[in-house]
Amino acid sequence: MCGIFGIITREEQTLGPILIEAARRLSYRGYDSVGCATVAAAPPGSGTPQQQRYSAGGSIDLRKDVGCVDDVSARLNFAEMRGGRGIAQLRWATFGAPSHENAQPHLDSDGDIVGAHNGNVVNNVQMRELFLREGLTVRGTNDGETCVHAVERHFDRNGNDMLAAIRAAYDDLEGDYAFVITHRDDHRLFAIKKGSGLVAGLGGGLTCISSDLPSILPLTRRIVRIHDGEIAVLAPDSVELYSVHDGARIQSEEEYYDGPIEVAEKGGYPHFMLKEIHEEPTVAGELLHLLNSSKYVGRFLDALTTPSDRPVYFVGCGTSYHACLLGAYYWNQIAGRTAIALLAPQFIEQCGQSVGPDDVAVFVSQSGETKDVLNAVKAMRGRAGRVLGVLNVLGSTLAHASDVYLPLACGYEISVPATKTFVNQAVLFLYLAYRLAGRETAELDPLPDLLARTLEVTDAAAHDVAAYLHDWDDMYYLGYGVTHPIALEGALKLKEITYAHCEGIFSSEFKHGPLSAVRQGYPVLFITAPGDEAMMINHVNEVTTRGGRAIAIAAEDPALRANVHDYLVIPEADRFLSPILLTLPAQLISYHMSVARGIDPDRPRNLSKTLTVD
Ligand code: AGP
C-alpha cells in the first residue's frame, strides 16, 4: 500500500509546502521512498492547439529518493518546488526494491508525462518486456513506471489525448491500482481508480486528489468520491468524471465533509484496529497477487531446503509466534514436512547450541525490529545457519539481516493489536506450504471473498458474545490442531485490549488441569476446523457438564450446534483456509469487548507496537 497525492492550482505558486504536508499525512502508507513533481507553465502560445486550449507547455521538476518524507524533502529541498500542478508519492515497496529509480513519481521516455501510482499492477513484468521491445525508456522495475509507460504508448496513437490514452492503458494494466498523471503540455491533472483508494477535493482556486481523505482535508472539505472504473479530470476549479469503459461523462457528486480529521484517518472507523480488520480481505488479495508473480518466492523456497532429516525453524514473538505455529501445522499437514515453531528466546535457549550451517530458520516479525527476534537472528548467524525473514516493514533491521525475505504487503499497521499482519502471515505460510506440496495455489484465490463474507456474517454475533464475556475476567479459548494457534491468538487479543485473563490451549489439554476453573456460566470458546467437530464435541461436553458456557466458532455443523450454548458461524471453507477465517470473529470479539469496557483498543495500557528492548 502506497500513497499518492495530486494538486492543480489556478495560479502558479510554491507548491512544495503543500506537497510535503500531504506526504506527511500519507506517510503511514509507506516510507521506503518519497518523491514530488511539479509542472511549471511555459510561455503562452507554445504547444499544439488542444494544448494551447489548456495553455501549458510546462516544464517538469522531479525530485525523489529512498527514505522518509522529512529526510528526503530536506535533502532535495521539496519546499522550493513551484508550479501549477504537483504530484507526491509515498512508496511501500512491493514490485522493485526501494531505490532511486523505483521511487515515484515516474517520467515517460521523453520526460513529457509524469505520474505516480498506488496498488499492484500484476502484469508488471510482461508490460515492461513489451515497453522494452517497443523501444520505450524503462528506468526501473517498479509498477508505477509501468502505469506511466502504458499511457505514453497510447498517447501519440490517440492524437495526444490524455483521456483516451488513459482509457487504452486501462485495458492493458491488470491488478488493483490508482494513479495520478499529467502531461507537461496539458494543464490538467488526470487520475484513475481501479480497486485502490482515491478521493478528490475542490478548494478556492485549487483542486486536489489523494489516496485518502486526511491528506486533502487541510486544503478543503468539499470532496468528490471517485469510484472504480472512473477517470477524474482535474482543472483548477473543477473535477470532471469520465467512464473508463465508454468515455462518457459521469455526474460527480460533491459532498461536504464536516467530521474531525482523525476520524478520516481511520477511514470512518472509530478505531484503527477495526479499520485494519476490515482491510484484511484486500491485503490478503494483494499478497496472493504478489506471491503469484514474485521471483523471490522461488528463492525463498530454495533457501528453505535442508537435508531431509533436519526440520526448519519458524521463530517469532507474540502474534507472529502464533503465525509460526500455524505455519508448522500447514507445513506438516499439507507438505508432509516438519517445521518447529519456537518463541525467539526459546529458539536461543533450546536450539542455540545445536543449529549449524545445514539449518534454516524463518524469523517472522511484522515490524522487523523486535529485539527478541533480532537476538535469535544473531544466535543463528553466530552458528552460520541460514536466516530467512517474513516481515511487513521493508527497510527494517530484519529485512537487512535476512539472506532472503518475503513481505507481508499489508501496508502500515497502526493499532497495537496485530490483526491484518497476522492474517497475511497465515496466508503466506499457507501459500508456501501449497507450493512445497506442488498443490495449485489458485485454490487459495477464494480467500479474499471468504474473508469479506466472514466479516459480514460474524460481526453481530461477535458483538453478542463480547456482551456475554464483558462480565467475566477469566476465560479460555480452546483449539485443536490447526485451530490451536488461533485459540492462542484469540486469547492474546483478548488479553491485550480487554485486560481480562484468557488462555488459549490445545482443547485436549483442558481436562489435564484447567478444567478445574469451570463453574456455572464460565465461558469457554471452542475454535473448530471442518473435520474436527467430533473431537471438539467431546471437549465441549467436559465443560458443559460442569456448568460452563460453551461458545463455538466454526462453520455450520448441526451436531456441534446441538452441544453448545452459542454458535458463531463462519462461511463453509476448506480445512486449511478455515483457521484464517476463524481468526476474524476472535479479533472482533476482543474489539467489541474492549470498546464496551471503555478501553482504546489501539493504545492498550503498558504495551507498545514495536518492542526494541530485551
Ligand atoms: C500483537 O498484537 C502484539 N502487538 C505483539 O504480541 C506482537 O505480535 C509482538 O510484539 C511481535 O511483534 P512483531 O511481529 O513486530 O515482531
Side-chain angles (χ1 to χ4, degrees), residues 101 127 222 292 300 357 373 421 490 520:
E101 288 69 36
M127 290 300 290
R222 295 170 52 208
N292 281 328
F300 195 91
V373 171
T421 51
Q520 196 53 41

Side-chain angles (χ1 to χ4, degrees), residues 2 15 39 195 203 325 329 605:
C2 305
L15 291 176
V39 184
L325 191 56
Y329 283 107
R605 70 185 183 206

Side-chain angles (χ1 to χ4, degrees), residues 59 115 139 306 419 514 570 588:
S59 60
R139 300 176 182 85
T306 59
T419 53
I570 65 160
L588 289 168

Side-chain angles (χ1 to χ4, degrees), residues 317-320 364-370 373 415-419 425 489 492-493 496 608-611:
C317 296
T319 288
S320 294
V364 180
S365 170
Q366 84 84 21
S367 62
E369 301 297 349
T370 297
V373 171
S415 192
V416 167
T419 53
Q425 286 165 341
E489 182 54 15
L492 176 61
K493 289 281 111 38
E496 276 187 275
S608 154
K609 183 68 183 171
T610 305
L611 291 154

